[in-house]
C-alpha cells in the first residue's frame, strides 16, 4: 500500500486548491512545501481572480458576459500564441472555480469588481483580503480535512517506475503515492533560470526583481524535466516597468508623465494597461525609454494621478535626484545631454506635448486629456524606464487540459499532474488581465486535484 493517495508539491494557490480537492474526495493527501508557511506567491498577490459570467458580475448588472467572450479576448490579445485547449479550459472552468472560492468563504464584492484587462468588461474580482485571504481560506479548509502538511521541505526528485510517477524523494527517502501534483510556482527567484528561460527578464541585470515568493526557484520544472516532461515556449511572462527608484511594487507609472524613446520621440499613451506596456516597450531601441516631467508636474504630482504611485510624489522625487536615479537639469537641452537624447527632438516633443496639454486633447496617442500636463517650466526631470519587475514567469511544464504533465512525445506521464505558475501554455506576448494568474492557479489546481484523486481510485481498484 502506498504512503498516500495523492502528494501535492507546493502550497501556494494551485497546490492548496489541488490538495483540498483531493482531500474532499476522501483521499489521503500529503502537501510538501519548501517555505515555512503555506500561501506561496498567491498570498503575496493582490488577490484578483479573472472570470466571466460570475455571480458578482450579475450582482453588478453584467448579465451577458460569457466564458466564450473571455476566450476570444484572451486569444485575440495574444495573437493565438497560447495553447488554445489550455486557455479554453481555463475560461470554461474559471467561473465554477470562482464560485467555489466564494462558497468556501473568500469575500468578493461588487465594489471590488473592475475591468482588469485592456478591454472594458469587468472581469477582475479582487478578494477583500487580497491574495492572503484566498490562501488563508484554502489552508483553513484543508486543515479540517486531515491532510498532512510538511513545511520547510524541498523535493529532490520524482519517483518514476516503469514510466509512471509513483511518488517523490525527500532527503534520499521515497514517499509513495498513486499520483503527484507539481505546484511549486515559477522561477522568478532563480536568476540563472531567468536568463535561460526568460531572457527578457534578465536583460537589465541587477535592476530585475521578483514580486513572488523567494522559494520559487523552478525546482518543480527541473524535476518534471528529469522525469521526461517537456517545456512550453520560452521567453513568456509578465514584466512591469520601473525607474529603479526602489523595490516597491507600483503596478503603474503615473499617467501624467511624458514618455519618450531613445530618439526623443513620444511613442505610447502613458496610461495604457501594465499588461501590455512592457510589450510596447520591447519594440523600442534598447528596450528602454525615459519618463520626462517638469517642476510644475513634480509640485502637483501628489494630487493629479488616479493611480497611486508614491515614489513619484513631490519631495520623494527630490530624494531620487539625490540618489542619482532621477536626472535633473535647468533646461530640456541640458537634460537631453545628461541622458543621451537628441536635444532638438526632446524639445520638440515637449513643445508638442505641452500644446496638447493646454488644449486638453492628445491628438497623437489619445491619452485622456486630464492626464496631460505641460513640460515647459524648469527644472526638468528624467528617469530611465525599463521592464524589470518580474511578476509572473510564463514558461513551464507542458500540460494538457486535464493538467496531466506531457512527455516529450506528447503523451501524458501516468500519475503526474501540474498546476499554476510551474506550468506554461497560458501566456503569449501579453498578460491577459489582472487576475489571470490566480485564476490559472485555482482552476488547474482543482483540475489536477480531481484528476489525481480519480487516478488514486482507479489504482486501488486495480490493486484489489
Amino acid at each position: 500500500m502506498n504512503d498516500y493517495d495523492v502528494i501535492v508539491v507546493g502550497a501556494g494557490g494551485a497546490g492548496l486548491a489541488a490538495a483540498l480537492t483531493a482531500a474532499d474526495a476522501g483521499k489521503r493527501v500529503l502537501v510538501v512545501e519548501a517555505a515555512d508557511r503555506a500561501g506561496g506567491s498567491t498570498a503575496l498577490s493582490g488577490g484578483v481572480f479573472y472570470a466571466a459570467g460570475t455571480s458578482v458580475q450579475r450582482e453588478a448588472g453584467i448579465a451577458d458576459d460569457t466564458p466564450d467572450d473571455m476566450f476570444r479576448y484572451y486569444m485575440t490579445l495574444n495573437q493565438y500564441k497560447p495553447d488554445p485547449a489550455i486557455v479554453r479550459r481555463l475560461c470554461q472552468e474559471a467561473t465554477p472555480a470562482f464560485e467555489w472560492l466564494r462558497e468556501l468563504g473568500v469575500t468578493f464584492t461588487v465594489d471590488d469588481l473592475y475591468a482588469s484587462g485592456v478591454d472594458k468588461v469587468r472581469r477582475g474580482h479582487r478578494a477583500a483580503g487580497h491574495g492572503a485571504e484566498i490562501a488563508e481560506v484554502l489552508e483553513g479548509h484543508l486543515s479540517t480535512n486531515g491532510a498532512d502538511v510538511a513545511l520547510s521541505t524541498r523535493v529532490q526528485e520524482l519517483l518514476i517506475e516503469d514510466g509512471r510517477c509513483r511518488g517523490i524523494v525527500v532527503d534520499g527517502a521515497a514517499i509513495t503515492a498513486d499520483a503527484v501534483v507539481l505546484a511549486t510556482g515559477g522561477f522568478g527567484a532563480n536568476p540563472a533560470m531567468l536568463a535561460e528561460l526568460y531572457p527578457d527578464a534578465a536583460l537589465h541585470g541587477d535592476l530585475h526583481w521578483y514580486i513572488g515568493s523567494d522559494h520559487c526557484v523552478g525546482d518543480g520544472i527541473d524535476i518534471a524535466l528529469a522525469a521526461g516532461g517537456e517545456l512550453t515556449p520560452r521567453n513568456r511572462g509578465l514584466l512591469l516597468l520601473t525607474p529603479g527608484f526602489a523595490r516597491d511594487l507600483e503596478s503603474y507609472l503615473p499617467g501624467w508623465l511624458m514618455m519618450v524613446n531613445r530618439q526623443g520621440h513620444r511613442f505610447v499613451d502613458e496610461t495604457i494597461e501594465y499588461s501590455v506596456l512592457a510589450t510596447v516597450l520591447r519594440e523600442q531601441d534598447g528596450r528602454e525609454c525615459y519618463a520626462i516631467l517638469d517642476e510644475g508636474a513634480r509640485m502637483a504630482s501628489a494630487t493629479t494621478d488616479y493611480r497611486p504611485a508614491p515614489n513619484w510624489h513631490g519631495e520623494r522625487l527630490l530624494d531620487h535626484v539625490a540618489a542619482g536615479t532621477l536626472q535633473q537639469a535647468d533646461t530640456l537641452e541640458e537634460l537631453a545631454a545628461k541622458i543621451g537624447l537628441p536635444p532638438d527632438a526632446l524639445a520638440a516633443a515637449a513643445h508638442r506635448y505641452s500644446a496638447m496639454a493646454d488644449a486638453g486633447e492628445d491628438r497623437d496617442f489619445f491619452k485622456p486629456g486630464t492626464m496631460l500636463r505641460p513640460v515647459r517650466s524648469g527644472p526638468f526631470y528624467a528617469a530611465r524606464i525599463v521592464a524589470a519587475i518580474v511578476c509572473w514567469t510564463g514558461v513551464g511544464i507542458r500540460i494538457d487540459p486535464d493538467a496531466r504533465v506531457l512527455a516529450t512525445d506528447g503523451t501524458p506521464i501516468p500519475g503526474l499532474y501540474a498546476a499554476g505558475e510551474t506550468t506554461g501554455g497560458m501566456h503569449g506576448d501579453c498578460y491577459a488581465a489582472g487576475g489571470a494568474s490566480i485564476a490559472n492557479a485555482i482552476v488547474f489546481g482543482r483540475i489536477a486535484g480531481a484528476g489525481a484523486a480519480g487516478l488514486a481510485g482507479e489504482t486501488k481498484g486495480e490493486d484489489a
Side-chain angles (χ1 to χ4, degrees), residues 91-302:
C91 295
Q92 290 173 335
E93 298 297 331
T95 306
F98 172 82
E99 303 300 347
W100 178 68
L101 285 180
R102 209 176 184 198
E103 290 168 7
L104 290 177
V106 180
T107 307
F108 294 101
T109 68
V110 171
D111 292 339
D112 289 317
L113 178 68
Y114 70 105
S116 65
V118 294
D119 66 0
K120 300 304 179 186
V121 182
R122 295 163 65 192
R123 296 186 182 125
H125 303 70
R126 188 185 302 279
H130 305 289
E133 181 183 3
I134 295 174
E136 288 167 5
V137 168
L138 290 172
E139 185 182 11
H141 281 275
L142 183 63
S143 67
T144 66
N145 284 357
D148 290 339
V149 179
L151 300 175
S152 301
T153 303
R154 195 173 287 278
V155 175
Q156 281 76 53
E157 60 181 304
L158 295 170
L159 185 63
I160 305 293
E161 296 178 355
D162 299 323
R164 180 188 183 89
C165 185
R166 298 286 185 179
I168 60 174
V169 177
V170 176
D171 293 330
I175 305 174
T176 58
D178 294 311
V180 173
V181 178
L182 294 175
T184 56
F187 53 90
N190 185 335
M193 190 173 279
L194 281 173
E196 178 187 357
L197 301 182
Y198 191 8
D200 278 4
L203 185 65
H204 301 292
D206 291 342
L207 280 178
H208 286 279
W209 61 283
Y210 178 54
I211 69 172
S213 168
D214 291 340
H215 295 273
C216 290
V217 295
D219 49 339
I221 294 174
D222 284 337
I223 62 176
L225 294 181
E230 187 174 31
L231 273 181
T232 57
R234 286 167 166 76
N235 213 27
R236 303 277 175 88
L238 173 61
L239 299 172
L240 296 183
L241 304 193
T242 176
F245 289 160
R247 293 201 169 186
D248 297 329
L249 178 58
E250 293 179 351
S251 298
Y252 295 93
L253 300 175
W256 43 264
L257 291 169
M258 180 182 78
M259 289 168 55
V260 298
N261 57 22
R262 280 183 170 181
Q263 288 71 45
H265 303 314
R266 193 166 165 241
F267 64 96
V268 71
D269 166 3
E270 293 87 353
T271 68
I272 64 172
E273 288 294 316
Y274 68 78
S275 57
V276 298
L277 195 50
T279 303
V280 175
L281 185 60
R282 185 192 300 166
E283 302 302 315
Q284 303 305 310
D285 184 21
R287 299 193 180 191
E288 65 179 18
C289 65
Y290 289 86
I292 309 296
L293 65 149
D294 70 358
E295 182 67 3
R298 184 189 73 81
M299 295 294 291
S301 58

Side-chain angles (χ1 to χ4, degrees), residues 332-369:
L332 283 169
E333 290 75 14
E334 291 173 2
L335 186 68
K338 276 192 170 184
I339 59 179
L341 300 187
D344 291 346
L346 180 59
H351 178 76
R352 179 169 178 80
Y353 188 77
S354 298
M356 291 190 295
D358 293 340
E361 181 184 7
D362 182 358
R363 296 184 298 276
D364 294 336
F365 296 96
F366 311 101
K367 179 164 73 172

Side-chain angles (χ1 to χ4, degrees), residues 293-296 328-332 375-381:
L293 65 149
D294 70 358
E295 182 67 3
Q328 178 184 22
D330 291 333
T331 69
L332 283 169
V375 183
R376 63 163 63 100
S377 59
F380 299 91
Y381 305 90

Side-chain angles (χ1 to χ4, degrees), residues 297-314:
R298 184 189 73 81
M299 295 294 291
S301 58
T303 59
T304 57
D305 205 2
Y306 64 104
R307 292 167 173 165
N311 276 301
W312 291 89
H313 286 175

